[in-house]
Amino acid sequence: KAGVTQTPRYLIKTRGQQVTLSCSPISGHRSVSWYQQTPGQGLQFLFEYFSETQRNKGNFPGRFSGRQFSNSRSEMNVSTLELGDSALYLCASSLAFGVGEQYFGPGTRLTVT
Amino acid sequence: AQSVTQLDSQVPVFEEAPVELRCNYSSSVSVYLFWYVQYPNQGLQLLLKYLSGSTLVKGINGFEAEFNKSQTSFHLRKPSVHISDTAEYFCAVTGGSNYKLTFGKGTLLTVNP
């Protein structure tokens, strides 16, 4: 069974631009979560989607948004990029909301210049 | 609110030595506990999980962890480490009606020859 895939793997953007990251969960998994990983703050929860609905949200500004499609694939969008948004963005999938463990993708490395 | 404290940010050991990575958590509800490993430039891989039942949990790559409710700990152990175990290890907790994973800051395990 294929794992969680994320595209693109690497991305370079300039301040003020916006970016969209994509995540395809493991087949059969219906819940997708997003995390931001930085050296200073560690792993921080962004949001979780299940059945196309946001079920949980972390403490990030409204510039960070996401959505989930009917096939469980998810995208996250960051608008008006700031230098501090440079990070590894990780997507994780699980069978359903609140069920067991999450399986992570390789991440998208975003660099904002 | 839940929190996770990984007591050591770095743990250097020699090959074939035993290792223990410490994790303490705080939560007002029953918890599920996880250990993940992250190799350089990769996502997180699930090592092991505690959901219920036996407090001694065995995972992949020879790792095990013991859930201690009275001490609110979930320490990770391996009796004999290999060079290939060099990686960052994250302890995580979830529970209650809010299922988002809360991660510790991570412990960098470095195995030296």
Side-chain angles (χ1 to χ4, degrees):
Chain A
K1 190 183 271 191
V4 178
T5 58
Q6 292 186 245
T7 56
R9 291 292 311 278
Y10 302 91
L11 206 49
I12 300 175
K13 291 285 188 179
T14 55
R15 275 180 300 174
Q17 287 186 314
Q18 74 165 20
V19 67
T20 299
L21 312 181
S22 180
C23 171
S24 293
I26 292 171
S27 177
H29 284 196
R30 296 171 58 200
S31 181
V32 173
S33 298
W34 288 90
Y35 296 83
Q36 181 195 65
Q37 186 179 25
T38 59
Q41 299 299 316
L43 280 153
Q44 293 186 285
F45 172 78
L46 280 156
F47 26 65
E48 179 174 8
Y49 286 86
F50 174 69
S51 292
E52 302 176 66
T53 302
Q54 188 180 90
R55 300 301 178 118
N56 254 328
K57 190 177 189 313
N59 296 323
F60 279 81
R63 300 185 297 107
F64 292 81
S65 63
R67 60 177 176 169
Q68 187 181 35
F69 302 95
S70 58
N71 61 359
S72 296
R73 191 177 69 84
S74 177
E75 290 181 346
M76 69 163 279
N77 184 278
V78 187
S79 62
T80 319
L81 284 166
E82 301 176 359
L83 294 178
D85 296 333
S86 293
L88 181 67
Y89 290 89
L90 292 163
C91 165
S93 75
S94 57
L95 279 171
F97 178 68
V99 173
E101 63 270 30
Q102 296 182 12
Y103 295 88
F104 283 77
T108 295
R109 173 75 62 186
L110 172 65
T111 302
V112 182
T113 62
Chain B
Q2 297 159 344
S3 66
V4 177
T5 302
Q6 291 184 243
L7 296 154
D8 306 295
S9 59
Q10 297 186 55
V11 173
V13 295
F14 288 108
E15 194 173 18
E16 297 183 6
V19 70
E20 178 180 81
L21 306 184
R22 297 179 294 167
C23 172
N24 286 91
Y25 69 92
S26 69
S27 176
S28 58
V29 297
S30 297
V31 296
Y32 302 144
L33 292 154
F34 307 87
W35 275 99
Y36 285 87
V37 60
Q38 186 177 34
Y39 299 101
N41 299 314
Q42 294 187 27
L44 275 69
Q45 180 182 7
L46 180 66
L47 269 180
L48 48 78
K49 64 193 178 197
Y50 171 78
L51 303 181
S52 65
S54 173
T55 57
L56 182 62
V57 179
K58 294 191 183 297
I60 62 172
N61 301 341
F63 284 94
E64 64 180 33
E66 185 154 19
F67 171 57
N68 188 319
K69 188 174 182 179
S70 62
Q71 296 188 11
T72 61
S73 68
F74 190 55
H75 301 332
L76 181 70
R77 302 184 182 100
K78 187 170 181 178
S80 175
V81 294
H82 303 288
I83 298 282
S84 59
D85 291 324
T86 294
E88 189 145 28
Y89 292 79
F90 293 92
C91 181
V93 64
T94 186
S97 60
N98 184 340
Y99 292 105
K100 65 180 183 181
L101 270 177
T102 300
F103 284 89
K105 292 289 190 185
T107 297
L108 179 61
L109 174 64
T110 303
V111 181
N112 299 300

